[in-house]
Amino acid sequence: MLRIQLTLPRHHPARYRFLDLVHDAIINAWTKAGAAPEQLIGSQAAPWTFAPIGDHRQDHNRLHSLVIATPDPQLSTSLSRLDPANVCKLRPSTQEQIDLSAAHKQLQPDPILPNQQRLATLLLSPLAIRRHDRKGWHQDLRQIDLSAAVNARLSRLGGRPVKLIITPDSLYLRANPRHSVLIPTKGFGNGKISFVIALAAPLLLEGSDEDLRLAWYSGIGEKNRNGFGCLGQIEQGVGQ
């Protein structure tokens, strides 16, 4: 299991419009560090997640730092060798590009102590939970059995039963009843945009060390490898 953070120099953020550009830049760097493409993308890919941390302007996003994590031993080995100079991507069709070659790389310590059983988190990248009818995304955490949804996916990823109890912060939900965010994931040449409606709120995770650690390194919810459901420690804030 491994988790890294790439941090750009102060006042020199990277710009991007769509989340898939960040994803593709990570793939570029990770494969150059020794990972096989099938480990990272496709139906047989190992679990991993990422979160671009920054802010949003009128027509673009600004990325100040990037968190990447995986519980997979083989991917952890190649992730440890990842060179920020290779976290770059140019999209010829739109001339959009991202370049994190100036970023400083650091390993993030494992936050889970023996017999901790509880982890207060925030979502560094928002949480995507698909509706049961598969015709869209949930837009209200108060209408989801969040523990069941997260445990079902983590159990598949981990190959064992996962039994986390996940509780959204009730005061946050009361103050922010509209806590869904629309994330543009990909732009097309015809002007159309693909997007995901995701959720953001502080969450309390309770369970075994193994289950907490799996959630921390895999991400929770769906589309983790596309930049959703990456957790952070609430006491450290978004800046990490």
Side-chain angles (χ1 to χ4, degrees), residues 129-208:
I129 302 287
R130 201 180 298 272
R131 288 167 39 182
H132 289 301
D133 59 13
R134 315 299 290 180
K135 294 182 179 179
W137 305 91
H138 280 290
Q139 300 181 37
D140 192 333
L141 283 166
R142 296 165 296 184
Q143 299 176 0
I144 308 172
D145 186 340
L146 186 57
S147 300
V150 169
N151 286 335
R153 177 162 173 77
L154 286 178
S155 296
R156 292 195 298 272
L157 294 177
R160 58 175 175 80
V162 173
K163 300 178 181 179
L164 290 171
I165 299 173
I166 304 179
T167 309
D169 186 297
S170 59
L171 292 179
Y172 180 90
L173 296 184
R174 188 180 305 171
N176 300 274
R178 299 185 66 177
H179 48 273
S180 62
V181 289
L182 189 149
I183 306 296
T185 56
K186 187 173 184 178
F188 299 92
N190 59 5
K192 292 185 176 181
I193 296 174
S194 176
F195 63 87
V196 170
I197 298 174
L199 302 155
L203 305 173
L204 176 64
L205 278 63
E206 299 175 273
S208 69

